[in-house]
Amino acid sequence: MPRPLSIVRFERLYLAALVLDAANAALNWSSWMARFTASPAGAEMTWVLPVMVASLFALRVVLWYFVAHWASVTAKWIVVALAVISGIGLLSGVLALTTGAISSLPPALAGIAAAALYIAAAFHLFRPDTRSWFGKSYQEHDA
């Protein structure tokens, strides 16, 4: 079964959000590490932050693959849940921008844009042409 247009659009938006997330992590890395190591426990375990960031990125990649190529309904709902969480981040980012509580504009804009793309990608999972995609059996996945 060929992938519906909405799934292709989901994939493009989601991958663009992943790229922005990676850029955001790179832009914020020194700030994140400084805050993490400010506590005595964090200073002792500097490996935790890179592992957490890499794990979350890997999770998002796995979810993308299972939604866009295996038509996993479970992965779809996890993507939706993460999009809701991204929506909360989007609102707090916009609020921080409007109140001037941003220390650096580029990472804030990258985070807001990534959140918006995750939300837009999730909306494409509910378009009418995706019903048949998510209704197909596990054995019929595209290789």
Side-chain angles (χ1 to χ4, degrees):
M1 168 185 191
R3 293 185 312 152
L5 181 59
S6 293
I7 294 299
V8 172
R9 287 182 179 153
F10 156 80
E11 184 172 41
R12 290 176 182 162
L13 290 166
Y14 197 83
L15 292 175
L18 279 173
V19 169
L20 277 174
D21 254 354
N24 192 24
L27 290 169
N28 280 311
W29 190 257
S30 60
S31 162
W32 291 351
M33 191 57 89
R35 279 186 282 162
F36 188 78
T37 57
S39 73
E44 293 287 322
M45 300 184 308
T46 57
W47 59 271
V48 172
L49 183 62
V51 168
M52 284 182 1
V53 170
S55 297
L56 290 171
F57 191 77
L59 172 66
R60 290 221 186 243
V61 169
V62 168
L63 289 171
W64 154 74
Y65 183 78
F66 276 97
V67 169
H69 294 279
W70 282 73
S72 169
V73 175
T74 303
K76 168 188 169 178
W77 286 108
I78 295 170
V79 165
V80 170
L82 291 175
V84 169
I85 293 168
S86 291
I88 295 166
L90 175 71
L91 291 175
S92 66
V94 169
L95 181 63
L97 270 179
T98 58
T99 60
I102 297 293
S103 59
S104 179
L105 190 60
L109 292 177
I112 289 169
L117 287 170
Y118 282 128
I119 294 165
F123 275 111
H124 279 82
L125 298 177
F126 295 96
R127 307 266 312 172
D129 62 337
T130 64
R131 286 189 190 121
S132 62
W133 177 253
F134 289 113
K136 72 179 186 174
S137 72
Y138 181 76
Q139 288 80 20
E140 297 176 43
H141 75 279
D142 57 350

